[in-house]
Amino acid sequence: MADVDAQFLRGLFDEEGSLHAGGRTALYRLYGLEGLLYVGISVAPLTRVRTHLREQPWRSLVVGIRIDYPEDAEAAEREAVWTERPKYNVIFNGVRPPPPPDRVARLRTELSLEERKLAEFEATVPESTTHLRLIARGIEAKRARIAKLITRIEEAEAARAQVPQQVRRLE
């Protein structure tokens, strides 16, 4: 990590190594290049994030952090996990419904999710040049993934359109 990055991170912590939040509970999100990795709550969010970055097997995937202070942090956490489906949350995450059986529908669902994640990346305000670089990498990764999904959808639709023609020829 560059000295500037280390200074930035040290500046976020108080003398006790925590973010002073006046006793309020924070809702924090940890992001990777492929999207949301984890959502949690804590009265010392950066201390908690440091614990995740030290102990979790997915720690090397984290490229961004977002901290909010909602009125009801516990309810906000449940809602965020339920609706945003972070990859590594277990509590409140429930069972995902099976993907649609139709390949085109499944790809369109995935495209919609990727477009939403891209919009989140594009709406993020960078806090430092390091954050800006990470956000830019995330945006480029999402754009490439969306382009690939659009191509796969077009190929799947073309393949689906050819099936009835082949069936008619056999008759």
Side-chain angles (χ1 to χ4, degrees):
M1 186 179 312
D3 287 341
V4 172
D5 298 333
Q7 285 176 337
F8 168 76
L9 290 174
R10 275 195 301 274
L12 295 175
F13 295 91
D14 64 17
E15 294 173 4
E16 297 171 1
S18 185
L19 182 68
H20 179 67
R24 293 175 36 208
T25 301
L27 173 71
Y28 62 92
R29 290 172 173 87
L30 302 178
Y31 293 92
L33 289 177
E34 292 299 316
L36 186 61
L37 299 174
Y38 188 82
V39 173
I41 57 174
S42 176
V43 293
L46 294 179
T47 300
R48 186 71 180 118
V49 167
R50 282 193 310 191
T51 302
H52 289 308
L53 295 176
R54 223 181 16 253
E55 297 175 359
Q56 294 300 329
W58 42 264
R59 65 185 171 261
S60 63
L61 302 175
V62 177
V63 297
I65 302 166
R66 180 173 150 199
I67 300 173
D68 298 306
Y69 292 89
E71 288 298 317
D72 185 350
E74 290 179 7
E77 178 189 27
R78 279 192 303 276
E79 179 68 20
V81 171
W82 184 254
T83 59
E84 299 172 39
R85 300 291 187 183
K87 187 172 184 177
Y88 294 103
N89 277 80
V90 176
I91 297 175
F92 311 129
N93 218 349
V95 178
R96 287 187 182 199
D102 178 16
R103 182 169 185 245
V104 172
R106 190 174 64 247
L107 288 170
R108 286 192 182 283
T109 300
E110 192 174 342
L111 174 62
S112 176
L113 178 65
E114 293 297 329
E115 288 174 334
R116 183 178 58 80
K117 289 178 182 177
L118 173 60
E120 287 176 4
F121 269 124
E122 290 175 334
T124 304
V125 177
E127 297 177 16
S128 72
T129 55
T130 300
H131 287 101
L132 181 59
R133 286 192 306 270
L134 293 172
I135 291 166
R137 282 177 44 198
I139 289 171
E140 288 306 312
K142 287 297 162 205
R143 285 183 177 156
R145 179 78 176 131
I146 287 169
K148 189 181 290 186
L149 282 168
I150 289 171
T151 301
R152 289 176 63 197
I153 288 169
E154 290 168 353
E155 291 169 354
E157 286 176 335
R160 183 171 62 183
Q162 289 180 354
V163 170
Q165 292 174 356
Q166 292 171 351
V167 170
R168 277 187 249 135
R169 285 186 206 145
L170 293 175
E171 296 172 350

